[in-house]
Amino acid sequence: MGGRVSGPADLRLKGVESLDRASSTDLSWVADSRRAGEAGASAAGALLVRAEIDAAGHPAIVVANPAAAFALWLGVLHPPRRPKAGVSPRAHVDRTARIGRGTSVAAGAIVRAGARIGARVVIAGGAYVGESVEIGDDTWIHANATILAGCRIGERCAVHSGAVIGSDGFGYVWDGAAHRKIPQLGIVRIEDDVDIGANTTIDRATLGETVIGRGTKIDNLVQVGHNVVVGEHALVCGQAGIAGSSRIGSRATLAGQAGVGDHATVGEGSTLTGQSGVLTAGNVPPGAVVSGMPAAPHREFLKRAALIGRLPELLRRLATLERAAGGRGKDV
């Protein structure tokens, strides 16, 4: 990632901490110039900064992206603790399952018939891997995560605790007397380098595939419906919901509690701000930033919000005008 040292090059640091908790032996970072004031008050021994002035007199390493450099450094200092390779005698692994070299299957994990597990995979205690599931190299299936029959997980993915991949899509049809279930016969396909947060659910397709594109990161408590396609490097934040057959473009961002109706389209690089909602079959153009329910361009939403704040005043003025015109206005 590179970088340029500003200050003594022989400085020795022992740890990594946030600005407010760092000591003289810790490295910290300044994400942007707005936090330069906090840097001045910090006791950190050195800082990762975008510009030397942001260091507020501290020794520094000047890099193009301080937050990314900080994440890289944390990974160097605190690499994941890989469990010992091998299958625990207290795991339940079907004899027809194929387990790759260097893979760890913990006590209490279940791997069903025909599953194919790649090399250096971690399947933690209580995790469930269903029939004919495929999991790529270097993927982590955390404790009590569930991968149901036929689903495919790529390489270097993380499926966190409580996540359910491949539950039935919410498909029912009214037959005149009751809601009749539509069999959900497809799968979920998760491409490489995808992270899936705790207690997130991704439904299998009715037919075909529900797809999560390469590099996408999904937060905790997210619902992805059947036959949804999420593009590459998208961000889906906590408690967001995506209804069936919607399309989410690459590098799109769904902020917390954003909702997308069924058969909607969210364009590449667009952003749905927190609690915004896209209606059924709605369309968010590429690169747009939308807010509110129904979602509208963010600037328009801010104008509407400002007007709503003025409604009591406007109502009083209207009542005054009505009384002046004919005495018909009522007190408000």
Side-chain angles (χ1 to χ4, degrees):
M1 185 167 286
R4 175 174 58 83
V5 175
S6 172
D10 58 350
L11 185 65
R12 294 292 180 263
L13 302 173
K14 297 180 180 179
V16 181
E17 267 294 356
S18 58
L19 281 171
D20 58 335
R21 298 182 59 182
S23 72
S24 60
T25 59
D26 290 323
L27 174 70
S28 191
W29 85 107
V30 180
D32 55 52
S33 297
R34 290 173 294 182
R35 299 195 66 193
E38 297 175 48
S42 176
L47 299 173
L48 290 162
V49 296
R50 191 185 304 274
E52 195 169 331
I53 192 172
D54 294 341
H58 288 79
I61 300 172
V62 182
V63 292
N65 189 333
F70 186 72
L72 181 64
W73 184 236
L74 275 178
V76 171
L77 285 180
H78 303 284
R81 296 182 179 179
R82 294 190 61 87
K84 184 178 179 181
V87 177
S88 168
R90 292 185 291 160
H92 301 274
V93 178
D94 189 274
R95 61 183 179 80
T96 64
R98 292 183 1 201
I99 308 296
R101 182 174 298 176
T103 285
S104 170
V105 183
I110 297 173
V111 181
R112 292 298 192 190
R116 291 188 288 177
I117 313 300
R120 300 173 303 281
V121 171
V122 175
I123 301 177
Y128 178 91
V129 177
E131 291 84 353
S132 302
V133 164
E134 297 179 15
I135 298 176
D137 297 348
D138 299 300
T139 284
W140 285 58
I141 309 299
H142 289 263
N144 298 315
T146 299
I147 318 296
L148 292 168
C151 294
R152 300 175 185 173
I153 313 292
E155 297 182 357
R156 299 175 301 280
C157 293
V159 181
H160 286 276
S161 296
V164 179
I165 311 301
S167 48
D168 273 3
F170 192 67
Y172 297 87
V173 60
W174 180 253
D175 67 1
H179 294 291
R180 183 172 299 278
K181 184 176 178 63
I182 301 171
Q184 303 295 293
L185 305 178
I187 65 167
V188 174
R189 176 168 58 85
I190 295 172
E191 297 181 351
D192 297 341
D193 301 302
V194 171
D195 289 355
I196 297 169
N199 294 318
T200 280
T201 55
I202 303 177
D203 292 347
R204 68 176 58 246
T206 305
L207 298 169
E209 298 178 331
T210 300
V211 179
I212 308 298
R214 178 174 59 91
T216 284
K217 310 301 180 186
I218 299 178
D219 197 0
N220 303 334
L221 297 168
V222 168
Q223 160 66 16
V224 179
H226 57 184
N227 293 94
V228 166
V229 175
V230 179
E232 297 182 355
H233 302 292
L235 292 174
V236 185
C237 300
Q239 299 185 352
I242 307 172
S245 299
S246 291
R247 299 292 183 266
I248 310 299
S250 295
R251 301 180 308 283
T253 297
L254 276 60
Q257 297 186 338
V260 178
D262 58 282
H263 294 83
T265 300
V266 176
E268 288 191 10
S270 58
T271 298
L272 276 59
T273 65
Q275 297 189 327
S276 58
V278 178
L279 298 178
T280 294
N283 180 58
V284 177
V289 179
V290 299
S291 301
M293 176 63 185
H298 185 62
R299 289 185 178 180
E300 181 181 325
F301 167 79
L302 292 176
K303 291 177 181 177
R304 289 196 320 224
L307 287 173
I308 289 171
R310 294 185 59 200
L311 282 178
E313 173 199 346
L314 295 174
L315 186 57
R316 285 192 295 270
R317 291 172 62 183
L318 178 60
T320 299
L321 291 171
E322 287 180 337
R323 285 195 298 269
R328 293 187 299 274
K330 295 182 178 179
D331 292 336
V332 292

